[in-house]
Each structure stands twice: as C-alpha cells, then as structure tokens.
Amino acid sequence: MKKLLSIFTMILFITSIALVGCGKDNTTSSGSKESDSTKTEETAAVSGPITINQDIPDQEILSKGPSGEAAVSAKTLKLTEEEVQKIKEGKYKAAIVMHYAGNDWATAQINGLKATFAKMGIKVVAVTDAQFKAEKQVSDIETVLAKKPDIIVGIPVDPVSTASAFKKAADAGVKVVFMDNKPKGLVAGKDYVSVVSADNYGNGVQAAEIMAKQLGGKGKIGVIYHDADYFVTKQRTEAFEKTIKEKYPKIKIVERGGIIGPNDGEKVASGMLTKNRDLDGMFVVWDVPAEGALAAARTAGKKNFVITTIDLGTNVALDIASGGMIKGLGAQLPYDQGISEAILAGYSLLGKEAPAYVAVPALNVTKENVLDAWKLVYHQEAPNSIQGVAK
C-alpha cells in the first residue's frame, strides 16, 4: 500500500487536471463552494492547447459493471489536443444531475466534471440535487432538459423510477453518462455512453481487511447495508462479507441491518448494539451513515470498537485521524471519476467508441496515511481540522 501511495503522490505533482469552476449563470442546488486555491488553479488551467488524460495507476479493478461488464481502467481514457479543440468549436452545454449533493464525494465529482468540461470549452448550465428522492430527480431532469444541454452526467436515485426520465433525455439526443449505476432497461451505446464507477468491490475488500487487522482476526461484528436496488452499494457489502467469511472464519457476522437513506445509520446501529451488546465492530456501507453508527456506539458506551466504511468524507477522516472508533475505510477517487465522465462525454460528441463500464482503483485509508489519501482523493490538502489531529 505504501508503494501505491508513493505512486499516487508522484502522480499528483505531474497531473494536468486542475480544478475549474463554472460561470456565474450556472444553476445549482448543491451549495458547494470552491476554495481560493482552487480558483487560482482555474486561471492557469484554461490557457494554451491541452491534452486531457487520466494520471492514475494501472491497477487491477475487481468490480464488474452493472450488466456484468469487465471494467476498463480510467487510465486508458484520453482526449488529444486536436480532439479537445474540435469539442471547443461545438460550444456544447452540459448538466450534472446528482442523486444527492450534500457530501464531500459529490462535491469532488462535481469539481472534477467542471474542471474537465472547462478545459473542453463546455458550459455547465445546471447542477441539481435530488436529495435522494426519485420524484425530485425526475422533476430535475425535466427542468434540465428545458435548458437544452448536449450532455447530462447523472446518477439515478432509483434505477426503476428514474428510467423513463433518463430515457427521454437520451431520445432527445442528449449524450448521457452515468455515475456508478444505470437505470433499468437502458442500453450502453444506445441510450447512454458509459457508466463510471470506483472499484466498489475493491473498496469493500479494503474495509474488510482493515476490520480483520484491527480485531486481530477474531470477534463479532454487524453489517449495515444499503437496502435498495443499488448496484455499487451491493458490491461493497458483498465484497466485505465474502472477504470476512472466506479469509477470516473467526470473525462472525452476527447481525445485519438495512438503511434506506444516509440519515438512517444511527437508528439501525443503535438497534443492532442494543440487541448485541458484545459486538466488537461494525461495517457501514458508506461514510454518512457510518457517522450515525459512530454516534450510536458512543451512546452505547463502546470503547474498543471498530468501524470501517467506504468514502473519505470530512467527518470520518477526522475520526480516523484522531484515533477514534472509525479505524479505516476503502476510498473512492471521486474527482478522478468526474474527469473520466467528462472525457467520455467528449468521446460521444466526437463519435468515438466508449467502453460500457469504466472504473478507478480502490484506496486503503487508515490513520497512518489519511493525509496523503485525502490529497489523492480530492486533489488538495486535507482541511486544517484533520491535519491538526493527524500529526
């Protein structure tokens, strides 16, 4: 892992992708803000001819696509100077349709998209936040289509309920690129360009390995999974549970609890801890409900308790850095996912063949490497609050 981090760190010094924001006329409901240092990078990013590519390691991807496709590494994606110039001449417009925009993962995806679209001369005309409500996302798509975008990059709240809305966009000639999941019934190369994901299976494996190491290979644990038809969260839980059962037979999964939304973590974890007072640890499917599980563990008076999860959000990173109960996680590279999604949108505008499923590698994060990992994930230094407790 240290070798991988060294490679990542070197790459960050040579990466050609910088954060670039949209114009003031963009509509957004995400409420995200970019730092002054980001704005400085924006100014430097738009001058001169450029080639857009992915400076990430050529690492094995364990995940499969939503239709069982083998993953193509995001490292293979590239737009030449000539291709970028041709896209610029089209004066295209894009919209970003999020399932939820209230966390660090979503902000990083949006920043990566904006940065790369700006390099391609593509104007982002809308960023929407469905707040995990399928009916709102359907409405968001209708609102976005009125702005006549050439591209929509989105992540469906529900693969069934939102399918007709995304299909309507595709039928109108909009080039659609998906994050993580695809609506039911839509076909790659026909209704959408590609799906871009992290190696969610790989991240589930990382969370299991951290759990096993922290427990010394034995103990009783609970699993909080996403109780929804959601491709990537299913992969995480499947990978975690399979790794524990096959490699660490002395660690017993004694309780499982499902969440519907990000704010359900504390309630589910509290019930699990009340029923199983001798639990030694808990896996939670992503960082926001893991924060709730952390609160429940504190309320229950747990001391030597191990929580692992997926996604490097600010609050879980702070707990990891301070030696809290969240001992580590598998991290996505959401900024790099955003870059990939924008490049694939460029492929579609050029009539260039795109792979059906693209992924970026998994990343193991613990107290020992949390600051380096933050920089890898977000392409910027960790907040002062995290730096202050990590040293």
Side-chain angles (χ1 to χ4, degrees), residues 196-255:
V196 181
S197 177
D199 183 2
N200 282 283
Y201 196 96
N203 278 322
V205 171
Q206 297 295 347
E209 294 290 355
I210 295 167
M211 176 69 74
K213 182 177 180 180
Q214 289 292 325
L215 292 180
K218 61 182 180 179
K220 297 179 179 180
I221 64 172
V223 170
I224 295 182
Y225 64 93
H226 189 200
D227 191 10
D229 184 15
Y230 221 72
F231 166 67
V232 296
T233 51
K234 282 183 176 180
Q235 282 199 319
R236 298 172 183 183
T237 305
E238 177 189 347
F240 178 88
E241 293 182 336
K242 185 176 181 181
T243 303
I244 292 295
K245 289 174 183 177
E246 292 185 356
K247 291 187 65 177
Y248 304 102
K250 292 184 179 180
I251 299 177
K252 304 298 182 184
I253 299 172
V254 298
E255 184 82 11

Side-chain angles (χ1 to χ4, degrees), residues 28-201:
T28 176
S29 57
S30 68
S32 61
K33 295 182 179 180
E34 296 172 63
S35 67
D36 291 339
S37 61
T38 295
K39 292 176 181 177
T40 301
E41 291 182 19
E42 290 175 9
T43 305
V46 294
S47 60
I50 56 170
T51 298
I52 299 174
N53 55 23
Q54 283 286 63
D55 288 320
I56 56 178
D58 189 7
Q59 181 177 318
E60 181 185 7
I61 306 295
L62 301 180
S63 292
K64 299 291 185 183
S67 298
E69 308 97 330
V72 172
S73 173
K75 185 177 179 66
T76 66
L77 303 180
K78 180 179 180 180
L79 290 170
T80 66
E81 289 182 17
E82 292 77 13
E83 288 172 331
V84 172
Q85 184 56 41
K86 187 173 181 180
I87 293 169
K88 283 182 177 180
E89 291 168 1
K91 299 186 183 301
Y92 296 110
K93 296 185 294 184
I96 303 170
V97 178
M98 301 299 294
H99 62 338
Y100 177 69
N103 62 8
D104 296 311
W105 178 90
T107 300
Q109 283 256 6
I110 292 165
N111 286 343
L113 280 161
K114 287 180 176 180
T116 314
F117 279 144
K119 289 191 169 192
M120 297 158 68
I122 295 173
K123 181 179 180 182
V124 177
V125 296
V127 179
T128 66
D129 178 1
Q131 300 167 9
F132 270 111
K133 298 175 183 176
E135 64 276 13
K136 185 177 187 309
Q137 187 167 62
V138 170
S139 175
D140 288 344
I141 293 169
E142 291 286 347
T143 300
V144 160
L145 286 176
K147 297 178 179 291
K148 300 188 182 303
D150 303 285
I151 300 158
I152 287 178
V153 180
I155 175 168
V157 172
D158 178 85
V160 177
S161 305
T162 63
S164 60
F166 280 112
K167 183 70 163 62
K168 180 179 178 180
D171 289 345
V174 179
K175 309 297 186 184
V176 182
V177 179
F178 289 116
M179 305 173 183
D180 283 356
N181 203 5
K182 74 177 185 70
K184 201 170 186 66
L186 273 65
V187 178
K190 177 185 175 185
D191 303 310
Y192 67 93
V193 179
S194 184
V195 175
V196 181
S197 177
D199 183 2
N200 282 283
Y201 196 96

Side-chain angles (χ1 to χ4, degrees), residues 1-16 54-61 73-75 198-199 203 206 330-337 359-365 369 371-380:
M1 194 64 227
K2 290 182 179 178
K3 182 178 179 181
L4 174 58
L5 281 174
S6 298
I7 295 171
F8 265 127
T9 304
M10 178 183 71
I11 286 165
L12 285 170
F13 284 104
I14 63 172
T15 184
S16 63
Q54 283 286 63
D55 288 320
I56 56 178
D58 189 7
Q59 181 177 318
E60 181 185 7
I61 306 295
S73 173
K75 185 177 179 66
D199 183 2
N203 278 322
Q206 297 295 347
Q332 304 187 69
L333 301 176
Y335 189 96
D336 292 287
Q337 279 183 248
V360 298
L363 179 64
N364 179 299
V365 183
N369 70 349
L371 295 182
D372 287 338
W374 187 279
K375 192 170 182 180
L376 302 177
V377 171
Y378 295 112
H379 289 220
Q380 59 187 6

